[in-house]
Amino acid sequence: MRIELENLEGGKGDFAHVYQPEELNPVDERVRLTAPAAVTGKVRLSGNEVFVSGHVDTRAQVECDRCLQPVEAPVSADFTLEYITGSEYESSEVAELTEAEMSVAVFDGAGLDVDEIVKEQILLAVPTRMLCREDCKGICPECGIDRNTGECSCVADDIDPRWAALKNLK
Ligand SMILES: [Zn+2]
Ligand SMILES: [Zn+2]
């Protein structure tokens, strides 16, 4: 969904859309949606700035940090965004590269790409570390077995490599 600024009546408007997971998948190489993503929001033009605010709700699947099994979690995010329009947009040398990269995909000076906004907000809302359960035993670093579902006879050497040097001092 795209919102053209010139179509906004009185410089403002509302939007609402429900994306099916396949419309946005994969959100990135790590995150996939497992449920529709409902987004609602408002756009307001003021001078040479565009303000966007809204909310997105969905469910996402990532890999467990330890055992790599899929883990699903609800994702819910409120957002407020701000962009510069028109000649200001043309001439602005955006300070931070990351901010510039994100903004260019979302706003091209004439319209807003709501799909990109929703993807960005989902990625920001998904935790960077997820576990399938608190006590996930993870994968054996020796043989690769999932220690939640099987046992192996590898010798347990659970010493953190950062401490291994200290052990050798004894
Ligand atoms: Zn796990
Ligand atoms: Zn093993």
Side-chain angles (χ1 to χ4, degrees):
M1 177 171 46
R2 200 179 141 83
I3 296 174
E4 300 297 339
L5 298 187
E6 62 176 13
N7 296 340
L8 291 176
E9 278 183 46
K12 57 185 181 178
D14 297 339
F15 59 92
H17 188 67
V18 178
Y19 290 93
Q20 293 307 307
E22 58 272 18
E23 289 181 77
L24 300 177
N25 277 336
V27 184
D28 76 353
E29 63 279 1
R30 176 173 174 259
V31 177
R32 294 180 56 80
L33 299 187
T34 54
V39 61
T40 56
K42 291 182 195 306
V43 183
R44 183 170 58 85
L45 264 170
S46 175
N48 47 29
E49 287 179 296
V50 194
F51 298 92
V52 187
S53 62
H55 182 84
V56 58
D57 264 312
T58 185
R59 293 183 67 81
Q61 178 184 289
V62 300
E63 285 177 349
C64 169
D65 230 46
R66 290 186 194 149
C67 71
L68 307 183
Q69 290 300 308
V71 193
E72 215 198 30
V75 172
S76 182
D78 286 312
F79 55 89
T80 53
L81 308 165
E82 207 179 310
Y83 305 97
I84 299 167
T85 63
S87 54
E88 288 278 331
Y89 174 83
E90 307 280 320
S91 65
S92 69
E93 289 184 32
V94 185
E96 285 180 57
L97 187 63
T98 50
E99 194 187 337
E101 283 170 350
M102 285 180 109
S103 299
V104 167
V106 169
F107 181 66
D108 62 8
L112 290 156
D113 187 335
V114 178
D115 304 8
E116 289 299 324
I117 292 178
V118 171
K119 284 188 175 194
E120 275 185 15
Q121 297 308 314
I122 290 168
L123 292 177
L124 291 171
V126 171
T128 49
R129 285 175 62 89
M130 291 256 281
L131 296 178
C132 59
R133 57 187 211 221
E134 272 303 308
D135 63 347
C136 172
K137 298 192 189 92
I139 288 173
C140 171
E142 295 296 324
C143 69
I145 199 172
D146 181 343
R147 293 195 284 204
N148 297 307
T149 55
E151 283 184 29
C152 59
S153 52
C154 300
V155 178
D157 185 8
D158 285 338
I159 293 179
D160 187 308
R162 285 170 296 177
W163 301 112
L166 290 176
K167 183 186 144 200
N168 294 335
L169 291 175
K170 283 185 192 163

